[in-house]
Amino acid sequence: MGTDRRVDVLGVPVDPVPFDEALEIALRAAKERANASRVVAVNPEKVMIARRSPEIAAFIESSDLAIPDGVGVVMALKLLRGVVAERVAGADLATAIFRESGARGIKIFLYGAREDVNEGAARKLKELFPDIVIVGRQNGYLPEDRFGELVERINASDADALFLALGSPKQERWIERFAPELRVGLCMGVGGTFDALVGRVKRAPLSWQKARLEWLYRLIRQPSRFWRQRRIFLFAFKVLFEYLFGKRDRVDEPTK
Ligand code: UDP
């Protein structure tokens, strides 16, 4: 899996593939099960984290598909690299994989979020896509000393695709650590997608998504995220400075 179109955004790689192509690549990887291919959604926050964390940078670098998840990343691709890309939101891609999985014979394992959310997400997916096959699930609060056991359960379930909703960078760390032992074809971190599926957190209305303001909607709905989302503003400054003055680093980045 993977693409030959990787582009650098502030030192972090992104694959500017259109949505349908990303979906096809992911479905094929899940079905073929050649190795545990990784799909990572790259948004401005993750770019800024990766610039500080060699571990996360290496994770994105070694991922098979780094989708342009945020509108900020799409704009940066255009401004800094002259690349016109489509936004491929991680939650939308995951939902499309869920939708297509039944017809393609792809079995799903859901790991992450609170027990009621994880269980509710599995139920909701069955309701939305009756032919989906969920072969296993696990909430995201399993103690670390039982991770080995979970890996065995995932492998025994014969899942083709594993979705992790542990938040960033927890989900990336988990994939990095255990992918070599997994027999699934596809691993994808999906952040708060299970919460959105059960309606615990709402995605922005379509009009906001179309106006490219999903980030603002989340900020208004969950002001507690501001401290994390400040990275979005720093990202915008960095992109603007690089656009105007080349590679000069003028904006201080947070250390955590
Ligand atoms: N979560 C989890 N285990 C943990 C920490 C978090 O399963 O140890 C879950 C949490 O319940 C929520 C998701 O991870 O469902 C985090 O979602 P968030 O919106 O923060 O994800 P991000 O913005 O990082 O994509």
Side-chain angles (χ1 to χ4, degrees):
M1 149 156 155
T3 72
D4 50 10
R5 271 170 284 170
R6 217 147 242 216
V7 184
D8 176 284
V9 170
L10 298 183
V12 177
V14 180
D15 298 306
V17 289
F19 188 91
D20 291 345
E21 195 180 327
L23 175 60
E24 209 40 58
I25 290 172
L27 289 170
R28 219 176 311 127
K31 193 66 205 155
E32 282 171 5
R33 274 166 81 166
N35 52 18
S37 295
R38 307 133 176 233
V39 174
V40 60
V42 181
N43 52 34
E45 193 184 345
K46 226 172 269 170
V47 170
M48 297 313 279
I49 292 174
R51 284 168 64 86
R52 281 281 162 184
S53 159
E55 191 191 354
I56 299 302
F59 177 83
I60 299 175
E61 189 74 49
S62 68
S63 70
D64 300 86
L65 192 59
I67 54 173
D69 178 54
V71 64
V73 171
V74 169
M75 284 178 168
L77 281 167
K78 177 85 184 74
L79 273 180
L80 304 179
R81 302 283 168 259
V83 173
V84 179
E86 197 180 308
R87 179 183 175 212
V88 182
D92 293 338
L93 183 62
T95 305
I97 299 171
F98 292 141
R99 188 189 67 220
E100 297 299 317
S101 63
R104 301 282 194 113
I106 291 166
K107 300 181 287 302
I108 307 284
F109 197 105
L110 304 176
Y111 171 36
R114 278 181 358 207
E115 176 58 21
D116 58 327
V117 172
N118 182 290
E119 201 259 327
R123 205 167 343 109
K124 183 78 191 176
L125 284 172
K126 200 76 199 139
E127 216 176 284
L128 291 170
F129 313 119
D131 63 351
I132 194 171
V133 180
I134 298 172
V135 287
R137 58 171 201 86
Q138 168 62 51
N139 70 53
Y141 296 89
L142 192 71
E144 201 170 333
D145 59 2
R146 294 185 55 200
F147 283 171
E149 202 180 293
L150 174 60
V151 170
E152 279 171 25
R153 257 178 60 212
I154 295 168
N155 285 338
S157 76
D158 201 29
D160 301 293
L162 169 66
F163 293 86
L164 297 96
L166 302 174
S168 276
K170 233 180 203 169
Q171 58 201 25
E172 286 79 17
R173 291 208 174 106
W174 201 93
I175 296 173
E176 181 74 25
R177 186 165 157 203
F178 294 107
E181 298 169 44
L182 288 168
R183 286 200 293 271
V184 297
L186 177 74
C187 288
M188 180 171 176
V190 292
T193 300
F194 296 173
D195 295 87
L197 266 171
V198 300
R200 209 176 85 81
V201 296
K202 293 221 178 320
R203 281 196 72 187
L206 263 183
S207 54
W208 286 62
Q209 289 186 37
K210 281 190 184 141
R212 303 177 156 194
L213 290 173
E214 190 162 14
W215 61 274
L216 182 62
Y217 183 86
R218 288 181 88 181
L219 196 58
I220 296 168
R221 292 289 301 232
Q222 294 172 271
S224 58
R225 294 179 70 94
F226 178 77
W227 188 240
R228 288 176 49 186
Q229 291 207 341
R230 77 199 184 284
R231 290 199 181 91
I232 294 175
F233 298 104
L234 288 165
F235 174 86
F237 275 123
K238 284 263 181 207
V239 170
L240 211 58
F241 269 104
E242 186 168 322
Y243 175 64
L244 293 172
F245 307 114
K247 283 211 173 222
R248 251 186 284 166
D249 274 351
R250 297 274 295 270
V251 184
D252 286 337
E253 289 175 37
T255 48
K256 57 171 193 161

